[in-house]
């Protein structure tokens, strides 16, 4: 018993599944052929003598179904089940037949009467059909119900004895005289006896369209019953449920057609070659394609009937896009509107002349479609209509349903009724010749050869002008390359022209029927178009061309959790060692962005590659959970409630936020197929991690690297905390108020006292931070510079002497207003002499300060004199601290002046922001003091734009402010850190210089922050009456850690201030716990402590280029002199397609989900007929080309991460295109390997690989080695580039093309050789893609045939193929082949463009060689020899290749038919090692194929017309023998 292949619901009188009574043959076949995996075999038959009056029969042998259609309308009238074991039939949730019910006799399995009675109840009157002759023991009883009937074999003797009443029939069916049912039929009617006589004549109840029968009549326009042709270009379309619609050629517009008939089902261009037979150009074209669109534009309709065409799921999307694109071309190109359902094409072009009325036509009724004014000549109209009358089965996809028409305008003397499409053409022709005998001399028919399926086979074409059809006469003798004009007997189709009409008629028996008669005989191949498809090995696979969202969850689980558990659980003896990638933690403060995807997926690709190399991979993901961004979000509730949050509440809220973020980010990472120890991630807020961090802190303290000091630090008023340099960003165009300020000199240096000109001199400084002037403690100059004293006279009469560096005088004068004269009083005086001079700060009464030296003072800006405020400048502090000047900073943590700023004038500055109103207040004070003393202190002020530091979190300006902070002495470990860097491998190499520079430039690191959410700095403070003093040593830190280990980190804040548990016993006095927390980068910088000693150093550390403060190995060198990683990989930032850094403010950020769901790409175009009648069309959700997480991962792997990575629509379109190509490649491979058994042995001696197989394996070796090397070097983008090149060029364009004929149509031995190579390619591609697209690899694995499943590619060590030891003979042949193949492609394209060929199989190739070409090269056979001709034909994808020498080329003339040829030279490279460096010249000649086309493989290698080639005869015999053996078993 055969296996059940499908399951269908049965609805009596209506349908089985989607197969619905009354629906057209076109709709049914289209649906069946869309699912070849479900309906692999379709046999179609009809009566060759009476194709219209006799039914059309479609048999689905693999599904046990037979469908009968009427001839005139081709509508389904009868559905028969002829094998119950092939399809699961369900009626009201019960199976009509269960396989467990064996029959009483050896008849085919089927349901017994009791089961049928149970399902359907008492039957209607049935009928008994006696056996055809007395030798038969059984007749057939047809058990009938409304719309459904069953056939039961019944002993004829039992029926004869029992009578004919229905009660007796029921008893007999329940007895042993009856066998189970052998068939079932669905029909329209109350009972079978009443209905069978009218099945093919009565109007069917359901619409012709499957869409109408299932979705409602409002979905598509009304059905057209018949087309009435009235002449003069007027056609009346009679509709079933609507008024008639008139088409008037050269008047009806495309908008009219769409309004009445709906959008066309397809649009194809005017270059369609079948339609061009009515033109004089390109009439000799023969197409190898059997596609409805004929010729090069066949893809535009979204269908292909070629059995050699790859099956993909792209056709619907391509059709939608092409329809949309062609719609836009209507104003510039002639196109055909194709209406599948109605059975006609309409040419849309500029208006043409109209055809005249026939001489015998009656005058037109004025009520009939009155003509309107002709549209302008530049408008597009309907100018031609083609009504199809295809003979069933002659057209491979039966795409156009048959049109029914009448010619209303050609009555004759003897006949007044209309001519119809139901008449024989000889009758139609006779009438037309009679009608036009006085006005038109009929032309002889033109003979045209049609490939089976090339055309609708029989059609009428309405054209415009009265003589347009006459052009056809000129085609005789030249059509389709059939020879001269005497060859009229050739061809299988004839063209008959008449004024305004062309008839294309298929000759008698031109379309050959199946063997064995008109009706189908199961198991025998049909010789119709595609009749040999059942004997072909067409690749079929259920693997989808796009990932299915509902299947992703189990795939993700398999490639993440399950795979990592497998990886970790392996014993060491099964691995090649351990690989550790240490995870630098992402920040747990918000949703994932594209930078997260770049970072995490790169890490995952690294891990998965080393897993494929047999390593046990250790990867523990982590999160950085402390810091200001999280705390700010926690404080948002404070701004909402208006209440101040205590540190404990802040920490509680921040922890909750961090935990929630970690959970969401973890889910996102796992959904990106990132593999790792997700069950045990680390979080820097966990107690265990905090204690590890404090252990590092203690070690640094013990080495004297931790200290506390009052000194200037970067301070963020917006964050209220100190910042490290790593927490700064820079604003390039910051605006500051700069000022020139004059400080009066009070006590001159000894060398200056002798010169009276120095009296009443002012030292001029320039500052961009006037708010720091109240904290001025000194003025600095450079003792190596030279200065001048100038006298400036203003127009008001005021005179002032100013001290300025000599090269900056001009700059100063340019900024001063109201200057009348400038006089130099003292020239070039050395700064060394000026040192020690005292001056007075006008803002501080009674102040006397000194002018000192500073190296950082230059003459490149300002005045050469710099005011020093050691409390607000790092360099100021360094200079002043060396000479005993203390830091002073009268600014609070909010960036406002405090009470110590000008205490004598408290109201003037107190509580004013130093970067706002405080600046204006200081400048006003200078003016006020100057007026009081009749002096000019504020010389000038202006706006100054410059680079300025901002807080990287809040993006607000920072200040420099002296506070008491905890510092790490980075200087103390700098040498060991730089030495450790020397041992690290950097990718890219430029990372080494960047990190070394960063390490060298840092001397101190402020590690304390005045925030609540972080790791507490374990310091105690001794409380005195007037101050607090920090106390910290190793014992204190150890004691605090022990308490935290017991109570938790939060206890540092939650425990009472007086809790003595935190105070070691050896401390005397009153102490309080500190409130500072550690810099968050201290957290991430100590994550290496999580690694076991055996895992240190980690193999790889991978982070962004902005994370060098995290990567700095100086931190672990506090404990060990070794860096914590062997290899440091850094990646760039993500930029938008314009090269801009992504920013929320710019609105150019990209979410990884947008890549996954495809919404960054243009939406897919929906079919217009789907939108026609939907009122909510504007509310529809766009549909996108979603390629899933594979698209995101492939984008990451394809990007050169060593620099900034650009992402945008163009990049993602390329990624999606590559991914689709990969999936289609695997779909084809799975189909091609579906029947391959690696362990099977074929009879006969093994065959050698063909040249194509050898080259393909060499290509595979080269690609595998190159890609593996790129993976090892962490150059993933190079690996993907090499893979893309391999897939497109080496596989698709070369090997797949070369072997398709062998795979589809070859004998078993030939197919197996190719399959062995394909299997090697298949396995290697899975290994290559495992690190990048593991979910796709897992999905492919789930579709692999069981016989091909061995070791899982994600759990098997990938040992790449190596090209080492490759055959020199093959290398030589490949070198010779490349230029020859390139030359062939050029000339083949020339032949194709000239219209001589459609497919390369239609030509033969001659390779003309120089006489000096050797037959052997260093004892190896040469390429261009007779032994390799078959291999070369396969590689060139032509029917035959011949080798000849230049001198004997003319001898080939006797081979015949050289009416055309194309040729091109090619270079034969010199022989390696021959001593001759001179290349030879050969020539490629392309000619028409000399032999006949094989109906099965389409190669022109058959010895006679309409015969199979020798190879295909053997292949068919193999297939039939195999089928017979299988059915016999």
């Amino acid at each position: 018993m055969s296996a059940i292949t499908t399951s269908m619901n049965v609805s009596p009188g209506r349908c089985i599944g989607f197969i619905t009574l009354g629906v057209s043959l076109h709709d049914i076949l289209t649906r069946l052929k869309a699912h070849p995996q479900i309906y692999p075999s379709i046999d179609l038959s009809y009566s060759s003598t009476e194709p219209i009056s006799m039914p059309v029969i479609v048999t689905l042998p693999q599904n046990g179904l037979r469908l009968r259609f009427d001839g005139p309308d081709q509508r389904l009238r009868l559905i028969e089940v002829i094998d119950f074991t092939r399809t699961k039939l369900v009626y009201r949730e019960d199976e009509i037949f269960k396989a467990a019910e064996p029959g009483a006799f050896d008849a085919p399995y089927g349901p017994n009467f009791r089961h049928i009675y149970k399902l359907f109840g008492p039957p209607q009157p049935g009928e008994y059909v006696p056996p055809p002759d007395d030798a038969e023991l059984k007749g057939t009883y047809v058990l009938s119900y409304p719309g459904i009937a069953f056939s039961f074999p019944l002993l004829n003797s039992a029926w004869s004895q029992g009578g004919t009443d229905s009660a007796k029939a029921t008893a007999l069916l329940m007895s042993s005289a009856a066998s189970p049912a052998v068939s079932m039929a669905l029909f329209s009617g109350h009972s079978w006896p009443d209905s069978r006589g009218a099945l093919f004549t009565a109007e069917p109840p359901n619409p012709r369209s499957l869409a109408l029968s299932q979705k409602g009549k409002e979905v598509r326009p009304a059905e057209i019953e018949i087309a009435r042709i009235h002449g003069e270009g007027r056609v009346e379309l009679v509709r079933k449920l609507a008024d008639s619609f008139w088409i008037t050629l050269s008047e009806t517009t495309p908008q009219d057609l769409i309004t009445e008939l709906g959008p066309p089902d397809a649009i194809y261009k005017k270059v369609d070659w079948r339609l061009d037979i009515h033109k004089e150009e390109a009439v000799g074209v023969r197409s190898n394609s059997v596609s409805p669109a004929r010729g090069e534009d066949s893809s535009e309709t979204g269908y292909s009937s070629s059995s050699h065409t790859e099956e993909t799921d792209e056709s619907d999307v391509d059709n939608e896009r092409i329809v949309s694109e062609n719609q836009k071309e209507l104003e510039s190109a002639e196109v055909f509107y194709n209406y599948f359902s109605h059975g006609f094409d309409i040419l849309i072009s500029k208006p043409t002349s109209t055809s005249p009325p026939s001489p015998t036509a009656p005058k037109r009724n004025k009520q009939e479609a009155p003509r309107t004014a002709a549209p302008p000549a530049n408008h597009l109209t309907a100018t031609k209509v083609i009504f199809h009358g295809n003979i069933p089965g002659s057209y491979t996809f039966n795409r156009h349903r048959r049109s029914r028409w009448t010619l209303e305008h050609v009555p004759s003397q003897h006949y007044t009724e209309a001519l119809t499409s139901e008449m024989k053409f000889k009758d139609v022709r006779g009438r037309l010749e009679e009608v036009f005998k006085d006005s038109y001399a009929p032309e002889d028919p033109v003979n045209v050869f049609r490939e089976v399926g090339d055309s609708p086979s029989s059609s009428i074409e309405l054209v415009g002008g009265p003589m347009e059809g006459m052009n056809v006469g000129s085609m005789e003798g030249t059509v389709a390359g059939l020879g001269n004009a005497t060859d009229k007997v050739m061809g299988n189709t004839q063209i008959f022209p008449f004024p305004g009409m062309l008839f294309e008629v298929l000759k008698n028996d031109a379309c050959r029927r199946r063997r064995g008669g008109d009706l189908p005989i199961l198991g025998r191949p049909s010789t119709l178009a595609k009749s040999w498809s059942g004997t072909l090995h067409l690749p079929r696979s259920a693997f989808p061309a796009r990932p299915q969202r509902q299947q992703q969850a189990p795939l993700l689980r398999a490639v993440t959790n399950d795979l990592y558990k497998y990886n970790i659980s392996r014993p060491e003896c099964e691995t090649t060692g351990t690989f550790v990638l240490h995870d630098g933690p992402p920040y747990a403060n918000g949703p994932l962005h594209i930078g997260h995807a770049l970072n995490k997926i790169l890490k995952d690709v690294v891990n998965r590659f080393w897993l494929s190399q047999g390593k046990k991979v250790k990867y523990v993901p982590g999160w950085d959970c402390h810091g200001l961004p999280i705390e700010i979000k926690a404080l948002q509730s404070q701004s909402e409630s208006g209440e101040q949050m205590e540190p404990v509440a802040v920490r509680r809220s921040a922890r909750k936020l961090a935990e929630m973020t970690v959970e969401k980010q973890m889910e996102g990472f796992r959904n990106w197929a990132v593999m790792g120890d997700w069950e045990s991630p680390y979080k820097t807020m966990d107690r265990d991690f905090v204690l590890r961090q404090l252990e590092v802190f203690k070690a640094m303290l013990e080495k004297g690297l931790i200290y506390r000091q009052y000194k200037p630090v970067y301070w963020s008023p917006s964050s209220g905390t100190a910042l490290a340099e790593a927490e700064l960003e820079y604003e390039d165009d910051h605006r500051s108020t700069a000022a020139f300020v004059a400080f009066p000199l009070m006590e001159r240096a000894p060398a200056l006292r002798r010169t009276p000109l120095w009296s009443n001199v002012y030292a001029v400084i320039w500052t961009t931070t006037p708010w720091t002037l109240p904290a001025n403690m000194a003025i600095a100059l450079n003792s190596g510079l030279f200065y001048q004293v100038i006298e400036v006279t203003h127009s008001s009469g005021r005179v002032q002497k100013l001290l300025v560096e000599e090269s900056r005088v001009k700059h100063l004068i340019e900024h001063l207003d109201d200057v009348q004269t400038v006089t130099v009083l003292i020239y070039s005086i050395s700064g060394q002499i000026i040192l020690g001079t005292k001056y007075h700060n006008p803002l501080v009464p009674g102040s006397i300060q000194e002018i000192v030296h500073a190296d950082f003072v230059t003459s490149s800006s300002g005045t050469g004199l710099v005011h020093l405020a050691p409390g607000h400048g790092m360099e100021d502090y360094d200079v002043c601290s060396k000479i005993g000047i203390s830091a002073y900073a009268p600014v609070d943590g909010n960036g406002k002046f405090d009470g110590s700023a000008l205490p004598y004038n408290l109201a003037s500055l107190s509580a004013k922001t130093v970067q706002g109103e405080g600046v204006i207040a200081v400048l006003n004070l200078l003016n006020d003091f100057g007026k009081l003393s009749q002096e000019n202190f504020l010389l000038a002020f202006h706006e100054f734009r410059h680079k300025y530091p901002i807080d990287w979190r809040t993006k607000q300006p920072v200040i420099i402010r002296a506070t008491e902070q905890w510092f790490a002495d980075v200087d103390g470990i700098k040498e060991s850190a730089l030495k450790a860097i020397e041992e690290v491998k950097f990718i890219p190499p430029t990372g080494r210089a960047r990190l070394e520079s960063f390490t060298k430039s840092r001397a101190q690191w402020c590690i304390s922050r005045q925030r609540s959410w972080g790791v507490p700095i374990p310091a105690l403070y001794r409380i005195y009456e007037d101050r607090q003093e920090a106390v910290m040593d190793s014992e204190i830190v150890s004691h605090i850690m022990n308490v935290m280990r017991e109570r938790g980190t939060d206890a540092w804040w939650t425990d009472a201030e007086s809790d003595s548990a935190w105070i070691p016993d050896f401390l005397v006095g009153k102490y309080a716990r500190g409130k500072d927390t550690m810099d968050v980068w201290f957290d991430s910088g100590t994550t290496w402590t999580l690694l076991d000693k055996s895992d240190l150093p980690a193999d790889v550390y991978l982070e962004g280029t902005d994370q060098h403060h995290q990567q700095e190995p100086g931190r672990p060198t506090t404990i060990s002199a070794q860096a914590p990683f062997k290899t440091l990989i850094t990646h760039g930032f993500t930029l938008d397609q314009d090269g801009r850094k992504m920013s929320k403010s710019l609105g150019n950020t990209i979410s990884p989900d947008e890549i996954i769901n495809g919404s960054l790409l243009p939406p897919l175009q929906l079919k217009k007929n789907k939108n026609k009648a939907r009122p909510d069309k504007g509310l529809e959700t766009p549909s996108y080309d979603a390629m899933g997480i594979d698209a995101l991962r492939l984008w990451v792997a394809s990007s050169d991460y060593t620099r900034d990575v650009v992402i945008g629509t163009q990049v993602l379109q390329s990624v999606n295109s590559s991914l689709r190509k990969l999936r289609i490649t695997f779909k084809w491979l799975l189909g091609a390997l579906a029947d391959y058994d690696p362990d099977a042995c074929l009879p006969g001696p093994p065959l050698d690989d063909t040249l194509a197989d050898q080259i393909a394996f060499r290509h595979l070796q080269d690609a595998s080695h190159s890609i593996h090397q790129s993976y090892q070097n962490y150059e993933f983008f190079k690996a993907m580039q090499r893979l893309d090149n391999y897939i497109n060029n080496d596989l698709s364009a070369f090997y797949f093309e070369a072997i398709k004929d062998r795979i589809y149509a070859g004998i078993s031995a030939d197919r197996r050789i190719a399959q062995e190579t394909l299997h090697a390619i298949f396995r290697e591609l899975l290994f290559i893609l495992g690190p990048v697209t593991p979910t796709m690899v897992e999905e492919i694995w789930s579709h692999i045939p069981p016989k091909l499943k061995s070791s899982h590619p994600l759990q098997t060590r990938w040992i790449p193929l190596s090209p080492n030891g490759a055959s020199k003979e093959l290398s030589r042949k490949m070198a010779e082949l490349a230029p020859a193949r390139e030359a062939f492609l050029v000339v083949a394209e020339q032949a194709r463009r000239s219209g001589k060929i459609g497919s390369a199989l239609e030509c033969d190739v001659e390779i003309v060689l120089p006489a000096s070409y050797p037959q052997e090269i260093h004892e190896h056979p040469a390429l261009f020899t007779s032994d390799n001709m078959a291999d070369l034909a396969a590689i060139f994808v032509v029917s035959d290749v011949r080798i000849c020498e230049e001198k004997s080329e003319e001898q080939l003339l006797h081979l015949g038919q050289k009416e055309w040829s194309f040729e091109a030279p090619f270079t034969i490279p010199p022989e390696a090692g021959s001593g001759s460096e001179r290349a030879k010249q050969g020539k490629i000649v392309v000619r028409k194929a000399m032999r006949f086309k094989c109906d099965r493989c389409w190669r022109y290698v058959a010895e006679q017309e309409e015969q199979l080639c020798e190879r295909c005869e053997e292949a068919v015999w193999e297939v039939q023998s195999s089928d017979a053996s299988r059915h016999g078993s």
Side-chain angles (χ1 to χ4, degrees), residues 1429-1450:
M1429 289 193 298
D1431 284 347
L1432 291 172
I1435 290 173
F1436 291 160
V1437 198
V1438 296
S1439 289
D1440 193 17
V1441 168
R1442 295 184 289 274
I1443 309 291
C1444 61
E1445 294 183 0
E1446 288 175 321
K1447 64 181 180 180
S1448 62
E1449 183 181 3
E1450 294 181 357

Side-chain angles (χ1 to χ4, degrees), residues 1476-1495:
S1476 172
E1477 297 299 325
R1478 187 174 182 181
K1480 299 179 177 65
Q1481 291 292 317
K1483 184 166 58 177
I1484 294 290
V1485 182
V1486 169
R1487 305 186 187 277
K1488 178 184 175 183
M1490 295 172 53
R1491 287 179 283 182
F1492 298 97
K1493 182 179 180 180
C1494 172
D1495 288 341

Side-chain angles (χ1 to χ4, degrees), residues 667-839:
E667 180 183 5
F669 292 146
R670 298 175 87 161
N671 286 338
W672 296 345
V674 176
M675 176 188 68
D677 187 1
W678 297 109
E679 304 303 321
S680 305
Y682 74 84
K683 299 185 283 290
T684 60
M685 63 184 176
D686 291 343
R687 182 189 307 183
D688 178 68
F689 185 89
V690 170
L691 292 173
R692 290 174 182 269
Q693 182 172 328
L694 290 175
E695 195 66 52
V696 174
F697 181 88
K698 186 180 75 168
M700 295 178 69
L701 178 66
E702 291 171 347
K703 291 190 174 185
L705 300 177
I706 303 294
Y707 62 93
R708 186 172 175 83
Q709 191 173 356
Y710 182 84
K711 60 185 298 184
V713 295
Y714 289 107
W715 185 273
S716 172
S718 56
S719 297
T721 185
L723 298 178
E725 290 180 35
E727 297 172 295
L728 301 177
E729 292 180 354
Y730 286 87
E731 183 180 26
D732 291 329
D733 197 31
H734 182 76
R735 298 184 181 186
S736 295
T737 299
F740 291 91
V741 180
F743 288 83
L745 300 184
M746 304 302 292
E747 297 180 13
R748 287 169 285 171
L752 305 179
R753 294 172 186 170
R754 296 187 298 272
T755 306
L757 292 176
W758 277 96
S759 61
N760 299 321
V761 174
Y762 293 80
V764 181
I765 63 94
W766 176 77
T767 178
T768 59
T769 55
W771 60 269
T772 61
L773 291 173
N776 171 264
M777 304 298 289
I779 289 178
L781 54 70
N782 192 316
S783 59
L785 297 178
F786 291 87
Y787 295 81
Q788 290 181 351
V789 176
I790 62 174
E791 183 178 75
V792 178
T793 303
H794 297 270
S795 58
S796 62
R798 186 176 71 249
V799 178
Q800 195 169 16
K801 291 190 286 186
L802 307 177
L803 174 65
V804 186
E805 197 275 334
E806 61 181 359
S807 65
R808 303 302 298 171
V809 171
K810 181 179 179 181
H811 174 73
L812 170 64
I813 299 303
E814 289 174 351
H815 284 84
L816 298 182
D817 294 331
D818 194 27
V819 175
Q820 189 170 2
T821 62
V822 176
T823 304
V824 178
L825 300 180
I826 300 176
Y827 289 88
S828 298
I829 182 172
S830 171
Q832 183 68 39
I833 299 174
I834 305 173
L835 290 178
T837 298
K838 302 293 191 343
Y839 70 93

Side-chain angles (χ1 to χ4, degrees), residues 1068-1084:
V1068 178
K1070 186 177 181 181
Y1071 290 85
R1073 301 188 297 276
K1075 302 302 180 185
D1076 290 346
T1077 55
M1078 288 190 202
D1079 177 8
V1080 69
W1081 296 115
F1082 203 106
D1083 295 25
S1084 55

Side-chain angles (χ1 to χ4, degrees), residues 176-222:
S176 59
S179 300
V182 294
S183 66
M184 181 183 87
L186 264 71
F187 56 92
S188 296
H190 183 68
S191 70
W192 176 253
D194 295 338
S195 305
R196 61 180 172 82
L199 281 182
F200 292 90
T201 57
E203 181 71 14
N206 294 320
R208 176 180 290 113
S209 167
L210 188 62
L212 289 176
S213 74
Q214 294 183 344
K215 297 182 180 178
K217 296 181 180 179
E218 72 282 2
V219 177
R220 296 173 68 176

Side-chain angles (χ1 to χ4, degrees), residues 314 942 1164:
E314 305 292 317
H942 61 96
L1164 299 176

